[in-house]
Amino acid sequence: MLQHPQVKGPGIGLLGISLGADICLSMASFLKNVAATVAINGSGTSGSRTIHYKQTSIPPLGHDLRRTRVTFSGILDIVDIRNDLIGGHENPSMIPIERAEGPILFIVGQDDHNWRSDFYAQTASHRLEAHGKAKPQVISYPGAGHYIEPPYFPMCPASLHKLPNKTVIWGGEFRAHSQAQVDAWKQILSFFSKHLGGTQDRVPPKL
Ligand SMILES: *[C@@H]1O[C@H](CO)[C@@H](O)[C@H](O)[C@H]1NC(C)=O
Ligand SMILES: *[C@@H]1O[C@H](CO)[C@@H](O)[C@H](O)[C@H]1NC(C)=O
């Protein structure tokens, strides 16, 4: 990306959602030149897989599908399947985000039913503070679910999840979630503009 002619550099910004947010947090922790990271509804942990980088391995936090609940509609709710984050921000399954060079913006939906992203963002914040880093910006939206996407994308209330290989609910109330998408987009652009040296008077995106 740094060699791409349309990348101004010297640093790049990362934006990821769900598992993608955790991949971005890992990249920011282990790779150079990541100047700013936005994590939407990530866990800040290794989740269900081991993360490998050179000599470092982060063991999986793990889950237990027996904690799956079936909602009235027959669709699954997996919000409680993840194992407890024992030891909080010192848990060995936490991504070592204190190593990140640039600031991190956490965006979370308080009604996230994939996992408790609000709790994970607070734990990540404690971890940064415990390592003498600045408290990160955490923007938390009441009534928003797991998939906070760009403005005016329809909310996805439920779809196939690879872990149980069944349909799960993602959480979110339509109105609150849609409003969160409009606001989150503005916040993301302003965060990147501030930390990647953009200009405020850019042409607004036409969505
Ligand atoms: C986070 O997940 C929740 C629950 O599914 C969702 O409602 C919310 O929109 C998500 N937030 C973002 C920013 O994707
Ligand atoms: C997932 O479920 C479908 C149908 O319910 C089945 O055909 C498929 O083999 C399953 N995939 C895995 C990886 O178990």
Side-chain angles (χ1 to χ4, degrees):
M1 286 307 294
L2 285 165
Q3 286 165 3
H4 193 288
Q6 292 196 3
V7 173
K8 178 163 71 83
I12 62 163
L14 301 177
L15 167 65
I17 180 166
S18 195
L19 177 60
D22 291 333
I23 292 172
C24 289
L25 291 175
S26 301
M27 290 172 72
S29 304
F30 294 120
L31 308 181
K32 293 194 183 309
N33 299 109
V34 177
T37 306
V38 178
I40 303 176
N41 275 348
S43 73
T45 75
S46 51
S48 302
R49 301 170 190 76
T50 305
I51 296 174
H52 296 283
Y53 180 72
K54 295 190 175 168
Q55 307 305 324
T56 307
S57 289
I58 305 174
L61 178 61
H63 62 270
D64 187 342
L65 286 176
R66 288 175 300 183
R67 286 192 291 267
T68 302
R69 285 194 308 265
V70 182
T71 65
F72 69 95
S73 56
I75 298 175
L76 304 186
D77 185 348
I78 59 166
V79 73
D80 288 323
I81 66 167
R82 307 283 159 179
N83 291 338
D84 285 347
L85 202 55
I86 293 163
H89 65 77
E90 289 171 0
N91 187 287
S93 294
M94 287 283 298
I95 297 168
I97 49 173
E98 67 279 3
R99 295 169 55 159
E101 289 170 20
I104 303 171
L105 166 63
F106 291 91
I107 294 180
V108 301
Q110 289 177 17
D111 191 36
D112 190 337
H113 275 261
N114 180 55
W115 47 31
R116 301 192 182 277
S117 36
D118 207 9
F119 164 76
Y120 287 127
Q122 293 311 328
T123 309
S125 173
H126 294 153
R127 182 171 178 110
L128 289 173
E129 284 191 286
H131 284 84
K133 300 278 170 155
K135 210 174 158 70
Q137 193 181 353
V138 178
I139 305 177
S140 181
Y141 295 102
H146 186 62
Y147 282 115
I148 297 177
E149 298 186 293
Y152 314 119
F153 273 56
M155 186 185 99
C156 174
S159 65
L160 181 75
H161 192 296
K162 196 163 172 269
L163 265 186
N165 190 26
K166 298 226 171 70
T167 303
V168 305
I169 57 164
W170 298 115
E173 299 148 25
F174 286 99
R175 177 176 289 268
H177 187 95
S178 303
Q179 285 171 344
Q181 292 191 163
V182 172
D183 187 71
W185 188 251
K186 285 185 207 144
Q187 303 276 3
I188 291 165
L189 291 181
S190 122
F191 176 80
F192 279 143
S193 177
K194 181 170 168 199
H195 298 291
L196 298 175
T199 52
Q200 292 294 341
D201 57 350
R202 83 193 107 66
V203 180
K206 289 184 184 137
L207 282 168

